[in-house]
Amino acid sequence: MIFSTLEHILTHLSFSIISIVIMIHLMNLLVHEIIGLRDSSEKGMIVTFFSITGLLVTRWISSKHFPLSNLYESLIFLSWSFSIIHIISKIRNNKNYLSAITAPSAIFTQGFATSGFSTEMQQSSILVPALQSRWLMMHVSMMLLSYASLLCGSLLSVAFLVITFRKNIDIFCKSNNFLIKSFFFGEIHYLNEKRNVFKDTSFLSFRNYHKYQLTQRLDYWSYRVISLGFIFLTIGILSGAVWANEAWGSYWNWDPKETWAFITWTIFAIYSHTRTNQTFQGTNSALVASIGFLIIWVCYFGINLLGIGLHSYGSFTLQSN
């Protein structure tokens, strides 16, 4: 009774605080950034992190096993992963470019887990025999940490593509408009327009320089976060293979979950390869990461919707990894 009450309090406390954090982020976007509000949002994420940590520890103590016995617990752990990525990135860099992704991701994940499941589905369940292994913590935690890292990095790549394509479209439209005017209004108007263009060059160069800096930061952080997630994913797949050999007598069974995990790993292996080649860096690697964003959701959530294969206990009623 005490544990269930504590879980209820921590669940709603973390969800309420992270909702306030999102409101603060929206206020900073709509109006001029206020330092006090920014500091409050960072403190809110720290409190949220400890609240979710307390929730997971409480469920661990009450159930006497690592709290990943159903999809609800895996979503809570995923939300915790987004929170810890947010805090670590803040510690490493005072200008937290990941906060616009990690905070909304944490609230949407926890919001879905809290309101999208019935009370019965949120209850901790007894582990099925296949999950009663020391590999549970290693494999599932690594997979969920990899999902969180890869999703954050992929969203940064999507932002990189949006800013890059928008800049290219603006340049294309302005150049076309300039050529059309010069064609219809003759040489005098063309020279006047050209003179005005040179006057605005310094302003445009200033804007383009800051856009260039922003895209470079997004590309840098995307690569760093995805690289971390790729390491977690590799460890998760290898530990899962060892666990599968113990549970089912084979390292690899081409189960739907295993197959999509391998596809996910392949996509981000291709991404890592494109980063080593100067020709494919930037837009090309960001496109690969954007594809990986969709693949991750199929691997994590799509297979759980079907509830098929050896990982069928990863459906809406049982374990998810």
Side-chain angles (χ1 to χ4, degrees), residues 4 8 33 38 54 83 152 203 215 240 265 270 287 294 298:
S4 61
H8 182 78
E33 185 173 354
R38 186 180 63 189
S83 301
C152 288
F203 174 71
T215 54
W265 186 90
I270 295 172
L287 283 171
L294 301 176
V298 174

Side-chain angles (χ1 to χ4, degrees), residues 114-125:
T114 305
S115 59
F117 292 87
S118 62
T119 305
E120 292 76 14
M121 296 177 70
Q122 294 181 17
Q123 298 300 319
S124 181
S125 57

Side-chain angles (χ1 to χ4, degrees), residues 8-154:
H8 182 78
I9 293 172
L10 289 172
T11 300
H12 288 83
L13 176 64
S14 58
F15 184 74
S16 300
I17 293 174
I18 204 168
S19 300
I20 295 172
V21 170
I22 294 297
M23 293 291 293
I24 292 173
H25 277 289
L26 289 175
M27 291 175 63
N28 283 330
L29 288 174
L30 295 175
V31 299
H32 185 70
E33 185 173 354
I34 302 173
I35 296 177
L37 287 178
R38 186 180 63 189
D39 293 339
S40 299
S41 67
E42 296 300 333
K43 292 176 182 177
M45 285 300 296
I46 294 174
V47 174
T48 299
F49 169 75
F50 284 110
S51 298
I52 299 175
T53 303
L55 171 62
L56 291 172
V57 171
T58 302
R59 291 182 74 95
W60 193 348
I61 296 173
S62 61
S63 63
K64 296 181 175 58
H65 61 75
F66 195 66
L68 285 169
S69 62
N70 51 39
L71 184 59
Y72 168 77
E73 290 179 343
S74 76
L75 285 169
I76 294 297
F77 190 90
L78 186 64
S79 179
W80 178 86
S81 301
F82 285 128
S83 301
I84 195 171
I85 291 172
H86 177 95
I87 293 173
I88 292 173
S89 63
K90 176 64 178 178
I91 293 172
R92 289 180 60 85
N93 185 11
N94 189 46
K95 293 182 178 180
N96 192 353
Y97 298 103
L98 281 172
S99 62
I101 293 175
T102 51
S105 298
I107 188 173
F108 289 141
T109 304
Q110 188 171 358
F112 177 71
T114 305
S115 59
F117 292 87
S118 62
T119 305
E120 292 76 14
M121 296 177 70
Q122 294 181 17
Q123 298 300 319
S124 181
S125 57
I126 300 174
L127 292 177
V128 297
L131 299 180
Q132 296 175 7
S133 171
R134 62 183 180 276
W135 291 103
L136 172 66
M137 182 189 298
M138 178 71 172
H139 171 62
V140 184
S141 61
M142 286 295 103
M143 293 301 292
L144 289 173
L145 282 170
S146 72
Y147 293 155
S149 302
L150 293 174
L151 286 170
C152 288
S154 298

